[in-house]
Amino acid sequence: MNKFIVFNFKMAPGSLKGAKEIFLIFKKFLQKVKSSKVIIVPPYVYLAEASNTFQKECFLGAQDVFWFNRNSATGEISPKMLKSFGVKYVIIGHSERREYLNETNEIINYKIKACLGSGLIPILCVGEKDRKEGDSSLSFPIKKILFEQLNYALRGIILKNSSDLVIAYEPIWAISNNEPKKIEDPEEIEKTISLIRFWIARRFSEEIAENLHILYGGSVNSQNIFSFLAFKEINGVLIGAASTNKIELTKLFKKIIK
Ligand code: PGA
């Protein structure tokens, strides 16, 4: 299975000029990336530029979507609009949206259905807020949170192919902007991803579970990327802050293309 590397720009950079500069770094290295599939997820306002800049060297993603295609939803962006820019993937249920915008599991479920119904592939983010001393992926509170998020987000969904969905395990405590920062342990991340895969096998099928991409996200950078990608169970990474830090991005690509 090839690994996915998703670059989530979040709300950066602050101008189109800055976005063009970041895209140039991607353009320089993307041709040389052989073993992974790269998905670039800029803010909506830079999607047109990204769609003009990149052709077949990567896939384009969006950071959110509204759940209807109809016209009356002020401020929102529809699946149809995203598709017209060549967007293929959409991040759904990122913890920052759950927190700042009160995005509920119910809304996340609508959005996943809207993506699947429009031929967009959702990258569903799940993850617990905190881990107490001694907690592991096998601890009841962790399982409960993850299974609940999966259960609600995927309620009523029929998956035809494992490639119709991507899951990103993003423990909130590991995301680079969150304090107090804890150090993530790739082995423990791998165990948690196996747990998510187990849930998928029971909910859908073993075949879907085996072939579904389940990624890890949280403070991934040029120093630690391979400590995650080395694990078979971790099918890729979702990178936040490092996506728009020119020095870090260049270092990261130099490692990936080695
Ligand atoms: P980070 O963000 O890489 O900056 O921790 C990951 C994410 O929130 O998607």
Side-chain angles (χ1 to χ4, degrees), residues 131 169 171-176 181-190 216-221 223-225 227-228:
R131 280 202 182 194
Y169 169 56
I172 300 172
W173 49 266
I175 290 178
S176 64
K181 174 99 192 57
K182 292 187 197 158
I183 303 299
E184 61 293 334
D185 165 7
E187 273 183 36
E188 189 51 41
I189 300 293
E190 192 206 24
Y216 165 70
S219 303
V220 176
N221 55 38
Q223 297 293 315
N224 63 15
I225 184 167
S227 62
F228 299 109

Side-chain angles (χ1 to χ4, degrees), residues 24-210:
L24 275 184
I25 300 178
F26 278 97
K27 194 82 186 160
K28 182 172 161 201
F29 290 108
L30 277 174
Q31 301 280 5
K32 298 182 193 142
V33 179
K34 297 280 176 263
S35 53
S36 317
K37 175 160 159 177
V38 172
I39 303 166
I40 300 181
V41 191
Y44 287 144
V45 289
Y46 308 140
L47 277 177
E49 181 66 27
S51 144
N52 290 332
T53 308
F54 304 110
Q55 279 83 44
K56 290 213 160 83
E57 62 271 55
C58 66
F59 290 86
L60 209 54
Q63 295 177 20
D64 188 37
V65 69
F66 194 61
W67 58 85
F68 294 130
N69 274 315
R70 69 173 186 230
N71 296 342
S72 52
T74 304
E76 291 300 326
I77 302 291
S78 69
K80 197 171 155 199
M81 288 168 161
L82 293 180
K83 287 195 81 178
S84 75
F85 281 101
V87 167
K88 184 141 192 229
Y89 292 87
V90 186
I91 296 177
I92 303 284
H94 191 282
S95 56
E96 286 152 10
R97 296 193 61 82
R98 290 182 195 252
E99 187 186 342
Y100 303 139
L101 293 139
N102 276 335
E103 205 161 278
T104 60
N105 284 319
E106 195 181 14
I107 291 177
I108 290 164
N109 179 252
Y110 291 157
K111 290 184 175 180
I112 293 204
K113 285 179 177 154
C115 284
L116 294 175
S118 312
L120 290 163
I121 303 170
I123 303 176
L124 167 65
C125 299
V126 294
E128 76 281 2
K129 201 175 170 95
D130 201 9
R131 280 202 182 194
K132 305 235 164 15
E133 191 77 28
D135 265 351
S136 76
S137 50
L138 299 177
S139 311
F140 178 72
I142 307 292
K143 276 190 191 164
K144 185 170 181 283
I145 292 166
L146 293 176
F147 290 176
E148 238 169 52
Q149 287 178 349
L150 290 164
N151 218 353
Y152 277 110
L154 299 174
R155 183 169 282 181
I157 281 162
I158 299 164
L159 267 194
K160 293 201 187 86
N161 303 299
S162 54
S163 56
D164 291 346
L165 174 73
V166 175
I167 293 181
Y169 169 56
E170 296 215 304
I172 300 172
W173 49 266
I175 290 178
S176 64
N177 277 347
N178 295 342
E179 295 290 341
K181 174 99 192 57
K182 292 187 197 158
I183 303 299
E184 61 293 334
D185 165 7
E187 273 183 36
E188 189 51 41
I189 300 293
E190 192 206 24
K191 282 187 198 146
T192 315
I193 287 186
S194 300
L195 184 74
I196 294 172
R197 208 178 293 287
F198 167 77
W199 187 93
I200 294 286
R202 289 190 55 183
R203 168 67 174 75
F204 297 102
S205 70
E206 280 190 19
E207 199 191 334
I208 296 250
E210 263 172 39

